[in-house]
Amino acid sequence: MTDRPDRNGLSADELAAELRVFLAEHHPGRTPPATVPTAAAERLAFQRTWQATLFDHGWAAPGWPRRWGGMGLPLRLQAVHHREMALARTPVAPSRIGYIVGPSLLAYGTEAQLERFLRPLIRTDELWCQGFSEPDAGSDLASLRTRAVLDGDVYRVTGRKVWTSGAQFADWMLCLARTGPAGSGAAGITALALDMHAPGVNARPLRDMTGGAHFAEVELDDVRVPVAYRVGDENAGWAVARATLGHERSTSLASAGMRYRRVTGDLLELAQRRGRTDDPYDRDALARAVTDARLLEWSGQRVLGRVLEGGEPGPLASVIRLQHALFEQGLHELATDLLGPHAALAASEAHLAAGGKQDGAWLRGFLRTRASTIGAGTAEIQRTTIADKVLGLREVGR
């Protein structure tokens, strides 16, 4: 894969210009909105086709090593890449979880695993889900009960996972399972790459209040996983989990900061259409939204820089996760306030909404972001981590 285009030597302006040419020729567009598939399976296929186009032309995974199909760009050029994609309103990546799992594979996977998994992951020929949460082990992963018993050259996995994003569409799961004795806590957990098409896997979608099914419950009944697909050492899966959660809470949100800069532009346009830009209260709220979007973008770049230098996101991941959750909830609350009664119109009835055709999407975003302070560790977990690891308050109180 080293024959892929090397754009490391380009200036920011040169990279932006080259990317704009590519987008002008290949971007599938998002308007008119009616042409964008709305059914989940169709929308996923649309996004996978776009991701494959990016990969085939050497524009996917800007920060990942070129050896594995990424672009290997330095941070300053990654920012350009994310900015141009956001401004062009390109389809979002269909497998955000895959881009969270990938860095953990790079850090803990074997050479054979990297050869097997990374290319189809980046191109989204194969989708991943993250099998962490369980009915009795949500934020407290150390108490998970799914068991993996070594039997020759395979692990036999039995248990149940829940709130597993995209599991019904996934080909692979990064699964945490207990291999140590009961009560061994974090020290008895192993990470496995589990084939979601293997016998014994049953994923059932969970409907949420947006009307969609973004999560699933997954039953694992004596699923056989080759030892060769163990990620890291046996009983050392906690480190893999921490790395994965760190990337989920930080680096995966780096591009979101760029995207939200564009979304706040949409918010300002909405306020203008609704005649709400002269009110001092509204002006203050809009200014805060724009400012917070920029802070989120800069925070993402800060932690990306740390990772690119070989470090881990560390406690900063909790800062960014909390910052992101509160920001996107506040953003959509402000949008629905600006819309007033029109906010109650569903996205499918957007033609009834006053003004723009996309107004119904704000309500869907409002409902979706109610879960932002729960997923990937609750806001309370993030605040505790910040208090302990960033501010050192536990030591102060001793």
Side-chain angles (χ1 to χ4, degrees):
M1 294 185 186
T2 52
D3 59 344
R4 303 179 70 78
D6 184 356
R7 298 183 170 98
N8 267 281
L10 298 180
S11 68
D13 288 343
E14 290 169 337
L15 182 74
E18 193 173 323
L19 182 50
R20 287 170 191 161
V21 170
F22 166 77
L23 291 172
E25 295 176 351
H26 298 279
H27 178 19
R30 295 181 64 86
T31 56
T35 64
V36 179
T38 55
E42 293 178 353
R43 186 168 60 249
L44 182 61
F46 175 79
Q47 293 169 319
R48 292 177 81 164
T49 299
W50 169 241
Q51 188 65 24
T53 301
L54 288 178
F55 180 89
D56 293 344
H57 291 81
W59 287 107
W64 289 37
R66 293 182 62 241
R67 180 186 178 193
W68 304 115
M71 299 178 68
L73 293 179
L75 183 59
R76 63 183 180 83
L77 294 183
Q78 288 183 52
V80 173
H81 183 281
H82 292 313
R83 184 193 68 205
E84 293 299 322
M85 291 289 185
L87 290 175
R89 297 174 183 266
T90 57
V92 297
S95 180
R96 190 172 68 87
I97 296 298
Y99 280 86
I100 294 167
V101 168
S104 295
L105 290 175
L106 284 167
Y108 294 97
T110 64
E111 188 76 6
Q113 289 171 356
L114 300 183
E115 289 279 2
R116 167 62 186 84
F117 292 126
L118 286 186
R119 181 184 182 281
L121 185 157
I122 297 175
R123 198 175 185 273
T124 62
D125 294 329
E126 294 178 339
L127 302 179
W128 284 73
C129 64
Q130 181 180 297
F132 286 14
S133 295
E134 298 184 4
D136 296 316
S139 296
D140 182 18
L141 286 178
S143 64
L144 63 83
R145 297 180 179 177
T146 294
R147 287 206 61 83
V149 178
L150 185 61
D151 181 9
D153 60 354
V154 301
Y155 287 98
R156 304 172 77 105
V157 182
T158 299
R160 187 155 61 120
K161 300 293 180 179
V162 74
W163 308 121
T164 311
S165 301
Q168 64 271 41
F169 300 114
D171 301 290
W172 293 92
M173 169 192 284
L174 181 63
C175 177
L176 295 183
R178 184 160 302 286
T179 44
S184 56
I189 292 174
T190 296
L192 302 169
L194 184 147
D195 183 355
M196 291 293 286
H197 305 291
V201 178
N202 182 22
R204 293 186 297 275
L206 298 173
R207 188 74 57 187
D208 60 40
M209 66 180 177
T210 67
H214 303 90
F215 308 103
E217 184 176 33
V218 184
E219 293 282 355
L220 303 170
D221 182 12
D222 196 26
V223 181
R224 299 165 72 88
V225 179
V227 172
Y229 286 174
R230 185 185 67 214
V231 181
D233 295 332
E234 184 170 290
N235 293 329
W238 189 248
V240 181
R242 286 175 61 88
T244 304
L245 288 171
H247 287 290
E248 181 176 14
R249 294 168 182 171
S250 56
T251 54
S252 70
L253 301 178
S255 62
M258 294 287 185
R259 192 166 62 251
Y260 272 122
R261 188 197 289 204
R262 188 259 299 162
V263 175
T264 52
D266 293 343
L267 184 74
L268 294 174
E269 191 271 336
L270 171 65
Q272 290 169 347
R273 278 194 289 111
R274 300 292 297 172
R276 297 282 293 272
T277 53
D278 293 330
D279 181 89
Y281 171 82
D282 291 333
R283 291 176 66 85
D284 180 70
L286 291 166
R288 189 182 303 276
V290 172
T291 303
D292 287 347
R294 296 301 295 271
L295 290 173
L296 185 63
E297 176 185 330
W298 292 335
S299 295
Q301 291 185 32
R302 179 184 177 194
V303 77
L304 260 183
R306 171 180 287 193
V307 171
L308 289 173
E309 290 171 356
E312 290 288 336
L316 268 180
S318 291
V319 176
I320 293 178
R321 176 61 195 168
L322 181 62
Q323 184 183 8
H324 180 268
L326 298 178
F327 166 74
E328 64 174 14
Q329 284 186 347
L331 179 76
H332 288 90
E333 287 167 4
L334 176 56
T336 52
D337 178 60
L338 293 172
L339 280 166
H342 296 286
L345 297 174
S348 59
E349 300 170 305
H351 64 286
L352 296 176
K357 299 175 182 177
Q358 297 288 345
D359 284 353
W362 289 112
L363 174 62
R364 187 170 58 244
F366 173 84
L367 295 174
R368 179 182 54 76
T369 56
R370 296 308 91 189
S372 297
T373 42
I374 299 175
T378 66
E380 287 74 17
I381 292 287
Q382 310 307 339
R383 288 191 173 99
T384 298
T385 301
I386 294 167
D388 286 353
K389 307 296 184 183
V390 179
L391 302 177
L393 295 183
R394 177 170 292 183
E395 286 74 12
V396 171
R398 285 175 178 167

